[in-house]
Amino acid sequence: MFTGSIVALVTPMDDKGNVCRASLKKLIDYHVASGTAAIVSVGTTGESATLSHEEHGDVVMLTLELADGRIPVIAGTGANATAEGISLTKRFEHSGVVGCLTVTPYYNRPTQEGLFQHFKAIADSTSLPQMLYNVPSRTGCDMLPETVARLAEIKNIVGIKEATGNLSRVSQLQELVNEEFILVSGDDATALDFMQLGGKGVISVTANVAALEMAELCTLAQQGDFVEARRLNQRLMHLHQTLFCEPNPIPVKWAAKQLGLIANDTLRLPMTPLTAAGQPKVEQALVKAGLR
């Protein structure tokens, strides 16, 4: 449930900005049929920053309902206040989620000790498996391998989504944590290299629109067939990169709408629709990936 192609699922909304149940069900059905290993509900790509605390919990619960046991659901529970992270995590304690993905606190830029105490407090508040999430380009702080190693000693902290794109982190982490601690990529463009170095999968934005391909990529990597995996990854590379031509999830929502996976590409302010300049770039990337 924490390995393979795990989709960082978008949160589909109607034209008024309300969560769209019908599109969410269509997305979940698509991932079940495509062999996606698990869903992360309300992570960064799921627009956690613009959902209220109550909505955040409701979307995770709706995802669980619509998944109906067909695919594991991981709850995004990140917050920049430890108390809020604990509150979100406790809401899902007996919900059916298989674990939580918790991003480093954003904006307030804690010290390494602050990061340790933050994640320790959350882990101590629950029995749910916890996966750390390090993405300094979005949060303004970088959780260093030495801090991850300290946290890895806590029983229910089981792995990390490492999204720096810095491949040297894989070996740095491997030297400091035990073999059971799961390392997954959070950067589609370098995910195959990450897996070849020993990572166990990717929490993917690309999988929102190329679910079958990302599932196959991870399967090939797990089988050690990196020649064929690289052929597939090369076809997807332009898409990996172009889905970040504007801030995530702007491009991927537009792409999902173009492919008929969701009814609207609505986002909440301050996120705005994909620009006229960005649209042909994403369209071209979909074509290069063989999705159009």
Side-chain angles (χ1 to χ4, degrees):
M1 60 190 176
F2 291 111
T3 62
S5 176
I6 302 169
V7 63
L9 197 68
V10 299
T11 299
M13 298 175 184
D14 62 25
D15 56 6
K16 295 181 180 178
N18 299 311
V19 176
C20 179
R21 180 188 178 99
S23 286
L24 183 57
K25 184 177 188 306
K26 189 172 186 177
L27 276 177
I28 293 168
D29 291 347
Y30 164 67
H31 285 287
V32 171
S34 299
T36 299
I39 287 169
V40 171
S41 178
V42 199
T44 304
T45 308
E47 296 177 77
S48 56
T50 54
L51 295 180
S52 71
H53 190 88
E54 183 177 1
E55 285 177 316
H56 188 135
D58 290 346
V59 172
V60 173
M61 297 305 292
L62 180 59
T63 302
L64 277 167
E65 176 192 334
L66 297 175
D68 194 25
R70 296 175 296 157
I71 186 171
V73 176
I74 300 163
T77 51
N80 60 347
T82 305
E84 184 177 356
I86 290 172
S87 176
L88 274 172
T89 301
K90 283 186 172 181
R91 175 164 183 181
F92 305 127
E93 181 71 33
H94 302 292
S95 65
V97 301
V98 297
C100 299
L101 178 70
T102 307
V103 72
T104 51
Y106 39 88
Y107 187 75
N108 46 24
R109 301 177 68 189
T111 64
Q112 295 301 306
E113 181 62 24
L115 289 171
F116 174 78
Q117 294 296 340
H118 171 80
F119 286 109
K120 182 179 184 299
I122 293 171
D124 287 347
S125 75
T126 183
S127 62
L128 284 169
Q130 301 291 302
M131 179 161 278
L132 311 171
Y133 177 16
N134 188 40
V135 56
S137 65
R138 304 264 325 205
T139 63
C141 71
D142 184 8
M143 183 160 52
L144 300 178
E146 293 76 15
T147 303
V148 176
R150 291 178 67 196
L151 289 165
E153 295 177 3
I154 297 171
K155 183 178 179 180
N156 59 332
I157 295 181
V158 299
I160 184 169
K161 174 185 177 182
E162 175 56 55
T164 59
N166 178 0
L167 292 170
S168 68
R169 284 289 174 94
V170 183
S171 58
Q172 290 172 25
L173 287 165
Q174 286 172 328
E175 288 180 6
L176 296 171
V177 300
N178 61 47
E179 291 183 358
E180 287 73 35
F181 192 77
I182 302 164
L183 307 180
V184 298
S185 173
D187 178 63
D188 282 300
T190 59
L192 181 58
D193 293 321
F194 189 103
M195 287 185 278
Q196 191 160 12
L197 291 168
K200 301 301 182 184
V202 57
I203 297 179
S204 171
V205 174
T206 300
N208 277 282
V209 293
L212 187 64
E213 292 78 4
M214 288 304 296
E216 183 181 356
L217 181 73
C218 289
T219 297
L220 289 167
Q222 289 167 346
Q223 293 171 346
D225 188 353
F226 288 99
V227 173
E228 193 59 36
R230 290 204 175 280
R231 288 197 187 100
L232 175 55
N233 195 53
Q234 193 58 39
R235 175 157 62 87
L236 296 173
M237 184 56 69
H238 190 53
L239 183 63
H240 293 330
Q241 296 168 338
T242 307
L243 288 178
F244 292 87
C245 67
E246 294 179 22
N248 182 44
I250 293 171
V252 74
K253 266 198 159 178
W254 187 87
K257 181 186 177 184
Q258 301 312 302
L259 296 177
L261 295 170
I262 57 178
N264 296 282
D265 58 351
T266 306
L267 302 114
R268 289 184 180 177
L269 288 170
M271 305 303 282
T272 51
L274 187 65
T275 62
Q279 291 176 17
K281 294 178 183 178
V282 178
E283 177 65 26
Q284 183 185 39
L286 292 172
V287 172
K288 282 190 173 184
L291 301 174
R292 297 286 267 179

